Amino acid sequence: QGVQNYKPQSADASVFHFPNNYFDAILCRHGIMFFPDTLEGVKELRSRAGVPIVLFCDDVETVMTDTSLNGQSHPASISGLLNKLQGVWSDGIRLCGATNYPMGLDPRFLQFGRIGYMLHLPLPDAALRQEVFKIHTAPKPLHSEVSFPELVQETDGFTPREIEEVCNVAALEAMRRLAGPHQRSQESLSTALRRVQEADVAGFPITSEDFRKSIAQVRTHVDVAATRKLDAEIQEFCRRYSPQIGFR
């Protein structure tokens, strides 16, 4: 009869206070069941579905941290997980992960038989930055004066995430201009926007000036030199480790 008395809520897990072992299983937002033993649960899902399973772990270094960098011993939990990863491919499970700091990974995680490929995704070049801009501005109204080549030139060394932030901040700048005439004394921007007609919002374009302000704002917390240095370190790390894990 469906789920009753259900109310979706989004918040950090740390704000919820549950006793240990309160849940028997957790359903993640991508629809994979994580049982008390994650890999055994995925194997069960594999046997039921009858198709290969891809398990993706973002920020994988948070799970496979090289604790020896801090002078600590390897915790038993990491050692146990490493043992289960050995030969997991033979069960029809593909493990993928992403990290911005592979140098912090437990070196045992990178041994042959656990990870088969290591790929370095460099900072986007001009062509890719333009595509990222197009993706994140697609649902937003743009003034005809906005030039993608100029935006690309001004964001050399930016990551895709930073370009996304540039687009969002530029949209906010446009909304401020739109809501300004409607904003009352001591009133927030969001409250003023509620009184603006939806059609007016949709037709109010983001200008080059909005992007200029946005790029300047985002640049205050972007260290392009540090980003390039880290990217070069990641590239060298992947070049050094790839032959060891079987990838040429």
Side-chain angles (χ1 to χ4, degrees), residues 10 15 18 45-46 57 109 113 116 131 138 141 150 163 195 214 231:
S10 177
V15 306
F18 296 111
L45 182 62
R46 163 82 173 95
C57 181
F109 180 63
E131 290 302 313
E150 290 180 5
I163 293 175
R195 294 196 306 276
S214 173
D231 184 61

Side-chain angles (χ1 to χ4, degrees), residues 57-199:
C57 181
D58 198 9
D59 295 325
V60 68
E61 77 280 2
T62 61
V63 180
M64 290 295 174
T65 303
D66 185 1
T67 54
S68 64
L69 296 176
N70 299 323
Q72 303 175 6
S73 60
H74 296 290
S77 57
I78 292 182
S79 298
L81 182 56
L82 285 168
N83 290 334
K84 291 181 179 180
L85 288 177
Q86 192 73 32
V88 71
W89 280 47
S90 62
D91 295 313
I93 300 172
R94 301 295 181 262
L95 176 66
C96 303
T99 175
N100 291 324
Y101 194 70
M103 293 75 75
L105 288 170
D106 189 318
R108 298 174 299 170
F109 180 63
L110 301 173
Q111 291 176 359
F112 182 78
R114 293 190 176 109
I115 296 296
Y117 301 91
M118 183 183 295
L119 305 176
H120 168 237
L121 300 180
L123 289 171
D125 58 15
L128 286 178
R129 290 200 303 278
Q130 179 160 313
E131 290 302 313
V132 175
F133 268 112
K134 289 182 177 180
I135 290 172
H136 292 297
T137 58
K140 300 177 174 65
L142 297 182
H143 196 282
S144 58
E145 68 177 12
V146 174
S147 169
F148 283 118
E150 290 180 5
L151 296 177
V152 166
Q153 184 177 2
E154 291 296 321
T155 54
D156 186 21
F158 279 36
T159 66
R161 183 177 298 178
E162 290 160 354
I163 293 175
E164 179 184 6
E165 185 178 358
V166 166
C167 296
N168 292 335
V169 173
L172 185 59
E173 287 290 339
M175 292 171 65
R176 286 196 181 100
R177 289 189 294 105
L178 174 62
H182 304 272
Q183 195 168 9
R184 298 166 182 168
S185 178
Q186 305 300 319
E187 185 179 53
S188 66
L189 174 66
S190 59
T191 301
L193 279 172
R194 295 192 188 101
R195 294 196 306 276
V196 178
Q197 296 295 324
E198 184 176 347

